[in-house]
């Protein structure tokens, strides 16, 4: 159960903070509802949750940073909006893939200092990934999620709150909208099971990377009557309920006091769990990537010390590599310096050969390589007494075998002129 936030209480909670929201149209609805709550309060009208006309029109004072053309629809659609007020910055980007070029661009802007470092990152992507990017996208979706979490773990600082929202339940009947085209109508009958499997994988991955998971699918499956006719989107009261869940999660994660507008046993248990998690982290710091406190603190889970994470072997190896590299690349400044050093090293390696001199392994052998001058000169002439002796011996053997061949004592098959070059 979530607490109910009002206009002034939301402003106090998110004051002087930066929030980054990445997701599909349902995430856009939460973004618009959150801005409406900050500006006006009350329940947002249903027409404001739909696509505005004209499309570049602002919503409650926000500004359009980037938007696709009128005739652009489908998985190439781009929409970036931002709302700024009294030190508060909320930025939203529409994505159709969990680790798309838009996501990389947003993270690159944070790394380069063009965008503020977010205090809260709210993200979800699933339905577009599984339906509009070709067949057998389940494995690619898992790999993209691992790559995204790896990038976020190496980029974001310790005080950034990363919240992954589970995908909302969809209708098994006819689904309308850009996400489900006519050629993919057969998928909608199994879509709810694919979403549940994806949410389970997201839970285990958040446990491995020590990210927060807010299970909206668990709560909204009791509110299916508030789903719209298209089978994908939700009515304003349901959207406000999701907004309150997110705000309650942020307040408990940052140790803030809830407004106290709702009295519930489940909410009291959530507050107690948040206090216990904070006290345990202060007494004994929890190591990263162990996943002891990453699921939604609003949902009651049984306490466990070492949860079992059932992931593929390749994903486990990737997570272990991230754990080893997370410490030196955790801060943005270190990450930027490391990226610059890697780029410089790659460029220097591209200008020279990867072969090393036998006498001087620390130097490149390009300095000792003689240019190819003829067809017989197929091996690089490298300075070194061992190589000279080897070539001399091979040449003498070749001469003796050639003489034996002329006298009829050997076969007519000629050996190579020089031995195989061990440096190639």
């Amino acid at each position: 159960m979530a607490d109910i936030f009002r206009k002034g209480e939301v402003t106090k909670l998110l004051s002087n903070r930066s929030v980054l929201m990445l997701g599909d149209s349902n995430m856009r609805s939460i973004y618009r509802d959150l801005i409406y709550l900050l500006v006006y309060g009350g329940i947002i009208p249903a027409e404001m949750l739909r696509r505005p006309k004209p499309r570049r029109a602002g919503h409650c004072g926000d500004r359009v940073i980037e938007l696709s053309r009128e005739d652009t629809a489908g998985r190439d659609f781009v929409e970036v909006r931002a709302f700024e007020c009294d030190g508060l910055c909320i930025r939203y980007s529409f994505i159709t893939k969990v680790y798309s070029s838009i996501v990389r661009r947003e993270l690159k802007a944070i790394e380069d200092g063009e965008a503020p470092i977010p205090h809260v990152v709210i993200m979800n992507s699933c339905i577009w990934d599984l339906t509009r990017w070709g067949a057998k996208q389940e494995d690619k979706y898992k790999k993209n999620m691992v790559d995204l979490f790896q990038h976020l773990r190496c980029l974001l600082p310790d005080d950034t709150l990363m919240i992954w929202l589970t995908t909302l339940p969809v209708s098994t009947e006819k689904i309308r909208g850009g996400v489900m085209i006519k050629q993919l109508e057969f998928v909608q009958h199994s879509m709810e099971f694919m979403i549940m499997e994806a949410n389970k994988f997201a839970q285990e991955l958040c446990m491995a990377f020590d990210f927060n998971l807010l299970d909206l699918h668990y709560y909204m499956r009791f509110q299916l009557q508030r789903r719209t006719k298209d089978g994908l989107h939700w009515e304003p009261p349901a959207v406000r309920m999701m907004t309150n869940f997110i705000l309650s999660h942020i307040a408990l994660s940052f140790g803030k006091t809830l407004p106290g507008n709702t009295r519930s046993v489940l909410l009291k248990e959530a507050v107690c769990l948040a206090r216990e998690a904070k006290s345990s982290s202060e007494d004994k710091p929890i190591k990263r990537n162990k996943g002891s406190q990453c699921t939604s603190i609003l949902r009651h889970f049984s306490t466990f010390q070492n949860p079992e994470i059932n992931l593929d072997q390749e994903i486990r190896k990737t997570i272990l590599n991230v754990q080893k590299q997370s410490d030196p690349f955790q801060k943005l400044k270190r990450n930027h310096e490391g990226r610059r050093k890697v780029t410089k090293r790659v460029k220097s390696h591209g200008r020279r050969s990867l072969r090393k001199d036998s006498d001087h392994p620390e130097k490149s052998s390009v300095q000792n390589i003689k240019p190819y001058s003829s067809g017989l000169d197929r091996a690089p002439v490298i300075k070194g007494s061992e190589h000279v002796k080897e070539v001399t011996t091979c040449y003498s053997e070749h001469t003796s075998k050639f003489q034996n061949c002329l006298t009829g004592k050997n076969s007519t098959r000629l050996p190579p002129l020089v031995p195989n070059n061990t440096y190639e």
Side-chain angles (χ1 to χ4, degrees), residues 187-337:
V187 182
Q188 63 187 8
H189 300 288
S190 59
M191 198 65 199
E192 57 178 351
F193 303 102
M194 297 169 64
I195 288 176
M196 294 182 66
E197 184 179 357
N199 289 338
K200 179 61 178 177
F201 175 79
Q203 178 194 7
E204 296 176 348
L205 201 62
C206 287
M207 292 167 62
F209 280 91
D210 196 15
F211 287 153
N212 287 22
L213 178 79
L214 182 56
D215 198 353
L216 292 182
H217 185 279
Y218 172 79
Y219 299 109
M220 302 312 296
R221 65 190 180 97
F222 302 106
Q223 304 290 330
L224 297 181
Q225 73 278 5
R226 300 186 183 276
R227 195 164 48 193
T228 58
K229 295 181 180 180
D230 59 3
L232 288 174
H233 302 93
W234 299 78
E235 297 177 356
V239 177
R240 178 55 55 84
M241 183 178 179
M242 290 185 279
T243 304
N244 284 321
F245 274 117
I246 295 174
L247 293 175
S248 300
H249 188 92
I250 293 174
L252 293 177
S253 299
F254 286 149
K256 303 294 182 179
T257 304
L258 294 177
N261 298 323
T262 302
R263 295 182 179 180
S264 172
V265 177
L266 297 178
L267 190 59
K268 292 181 179 179
E269 292 181 356
V271 174
C272 294
L273 289 175
R275 292 176 180 175
E276 292 177 0
K278 185 178 180 181
S279 61
S280 63
S281 62
E282 292 177 354
D283 298 339
K284 184 178 180 180
I286 301 176
K287 295 182 179 180
R288 280 191 173 272
N289 304 321
K290 294 299 181 183
S292 57
Q293 296 290 341
C294 65
T295 52
S296 172
I297 54 183
L298 295 177
R299 180 176 173 182
H300 177 70
F301 286 99
S302 59
T303 58
F304 43 81
Q305 297 295 332
N306 295 320
E308 183 180 359
I309 303 175
N310 299 318
L311 294 174
D312 299 338
Q313 291 296 121
E314 297 181 358
I315 298 178
R316 287 184 178 181
K317 293 180 181 178
T318 305
I319 294 174
L320 291 176
N321 294 332
V322 174
Q323 293 176 359
K324 296 178 181 178
Q325 301 174 2
S326 60
D327 292 336
F329 292 96
Q330 200 162 13
K331 301 299 180 181
L332 290 176
K333 184 177 180 180
R334 295 181 182 178
N335 194 7
H336 182 68
E337 293 177 356

Side-chain angles (χ1 to χ4, degrees), residues 138-149:
E138 291 81 3
D139 296 336
K140 294 183 180 179
Y141 175 70
K142 293 180 180 180
K143 184 180 182 302
N144 290 334
M145 279 194 66
V146 174
D147 295 339
L148 171 67
F149 281 26

